[in-house]
Amino acid sequence: MLVADMMHPEGRVFMKSEFGPISDEWPCFSFTKKSVGQRLQTEFRPGRDIIVYVGTTNPETTENPDHRSRLISAVSIEPNQILDTSKIVPEHMWEWSVSTWGEKWQYSMAAIDAALMIGPPFPEARAVAPTAYTSFAEIQNRGNVVEALGEERALIMALAVERIALKLAEPVQRYMNLMRSALIPDKTVKQEAYRIAENILDRLRKGGEVSSRLNPVRAAPNLSDLIALITQKWQDDQKGKCALCGGSLVQTKSSMLQPSPDRIDSTNVNYDDKNLQITHLACNLAKNKWGISDFKDWLAIVQAGALASDQIGERR
């Protein structure tokens, strides 16, 4: 297959200097300056555009001489989210990166399609795209992406590649799936996920403050990660059901039925993957005030009463 098979015929070709090809050891597009991600959020379109990795000339950063100054990978990314690299790459690779470079590569975007250039020898960047390649030397382009235009774009699109599947470790795959699930959620769920995330972060901001009582100190991910987590919990884990009563989670004017974030273990201050569930506000308040045991007893009586009422209605 060709690079052109990974993108739209009218798509843009970006180039980025990298220390090696994409792989399971580093299955994402990483960058030092957050402005790189912000630019791609504005300009890159997944399924239309492509990013081509160019091996650096530095033996310390690009150890394999076959990769230096060569076109080595073609990658499509999901630009909507700037992610924490330490949550995507394997733990040993992040530890190696930090020990070698510090937290230089702390920002990443998820790779949704990846391929390796055919080689060695791999295509020489200076021969295929001399203008774009030499522009990396310009101060404003250091650590940034550059765009290949005209004939250089066409030559890159004609290069042969071999698509690869990134076999991610289970915790990494779960995180990637979590992020992707938040990219195109149902509109109602997205609206509610944002509201719930803001509600959680507001609680965090008030942690330790004294009002009529001392507000507890809690912990949670950043806003984008939190929205993704809430969406994943709501849609995938709970299938749109309240984690406490099993009733449907809906967007409603009823305060009692309003979707609410609940920490499974109230003594655990974290709103994280293991301790967060989405419930109706009434269920959440009842559980937290009287405990899960009393809540279940109450729920059993209410559900039994509802069943009996339905049966009476059927006999009528």
Side-chain angles (χ1 to χ4, degrees):
M1 62 177 288
L2 305 178
V3 172
D5 297 319
M6 300 176 64
M7 56 183 292
H8 188 275
E10 302 302 319
R12 301 170 69 178
V13 174
F14 296 93
M15 297 169 63
K16 175 71 163 58
S17 181
E18 293 287 348
F19 53 78
I22 193 167
S23 70
D24 292 340
E25 293 287 86
W26 204 278
C28 52
F29 174 77
S30 303
F31 39 93
T32 303
K33 298 182 292 185
K34 205 167 187 178
S35 58
V36 175
Q38 291 167 340
R39 175 186 173 185
L40 290 172
Q41 285 182 319
T42 301
E43 299 186 25
F44 188 92
R45 297 292 180 270
R48 185 195 74 174
D49 304 333
I50 203 76
I51 297 176
V52 173
Y53 287 4
V54 184
T56 72
T57 59
N58 189 340
E60 294 183 3
T61 54
T62 300
E63 296 180 354
N64 189 336
D66 291 332
H67 295 155
R68 294 173 199 160
S69 303
R70 304 282 175 159
L71 306 181
I72 50 180
S73 301
V75 180
S76 181
I77 61 170
E78 176 45 70
N80 284 12
Q81 300 279 353
I82 298 177
L83 310 177
D84 181 350
T85 306
S86 66
K87 294 183 179 180
I88 302 177
V89 304
E91 183 176 357
H92 72 278
M93 286 299 296
W94 181 244
E95 291 176 352
W96 166 82
S97 177
V98 171
S99 65
T100 306
W101 313 111
E103 295 192 359
K104 184 176 181 180
W105 309 107
Q106 62 181 311
Y107 304 117
S108 288
M109 287 177 166
I112 57 177
D113 196 8
L116 301 180
M117 297 289 176
I118 304 299
F122 298 98
E124 186 178 356
R126 192 179 298 276
V128 177
T131 302
Y133 178 66
T134 56
S135 70
F136 278 126
E138 299 172 12
I139 294 177
Q140 70 270 20
N141 291 331
R142 292 176 184 174
N144 211 328
V145 293
V146 300
E147 185 174 359
L149 302 170
E151 184 180 359
E152 294 183 3
R153 169 184 171 277
L155 289 174
I156 291 176
M157 291 176 65
L159 294 174
V161 292
E162 182 177 4
R163 184 177 266 123
I164 61 170
L166 299 175
K167 299 175 183 178
L168 307 176
E170 191 279 330
V172 178
Q173 184 64 63
R174 181 173 177 81
Y175 182 79
M176 297 285 275
N177 289 341
L178 183 155
M179 298 308 301
R180 291 171 186 170
S181 71
L183 297 176
I184 48 172
D186 174 80
K187 185 177 180 181
T188 298
V189 175
K190 187 172 185 178
Q191 291 172 344
E192 286 297 294
Y194 184 85
R195 180 190 62 78
I196 293 170
E198 287 280 30
N199 180 273
I200 290 174
L201 294 180
D202 184 61
R203 294 180 189 178
L204 265 63
R205 286 189 287 268
K206 293 178 179 178
E209 291 182 0
V210 177
S211 52
S212 58
R213 61 185 177 86
L214 179 66
N215 291 316
V217 177
R218 302 183 177 99
N222 61 45
L223 180 60
S224 61
D225 283 5
L226 194 53
I227 291 173
L229 176 59
I230 292 166
T231 304
Q232 184 257 338
K233 287 286 183 181
W234 182 319
Q235 293 184 317
D236 298 337
D237 293 1
Q238 299 178 203
K239 309 300 182 185
K241 305 294 184 181
C242 171
L244 289 173
C245 76
S248 296
L249 292 168
V250 294
Q251 191 177 44
T252 173
K253 293 181 179 179
S254 169
S255 296
M256 294 180 69
L257 290 174
Q258 187 177 72
S260 174
D262 176 48
R263 285 175 294 128
I264 298 170
D265 178 2
S266 297
T267 64
N268 182 342
V269 300
N270 294 302
Y271 287 96
D272 58 22
D273 184 44
K274 295 181 180 179
N275 201 42
L276 176 67
Q277 59 186 7
I278 311 303
T279 70
H280 297 124
L281 179 59
C283 295
N284 189 351
L285 294 174
K287 182 208 106 173
N288 289 334
K289 183 173 179 61
W290 288 288
I292 189 65
S293 179
D294 283 359
F295 173 81
K296 287 182 176 179
D297 289 343
W298 169 82
L299 183 62
I301 294 297
V302 171
Q303 290 178 334
L307 178 61
S309 178
D310 288 345
Q311 291 173 339
I312 293 172
E314 289 174 359
R315 286 197 296 270
R316 289 177 180 173

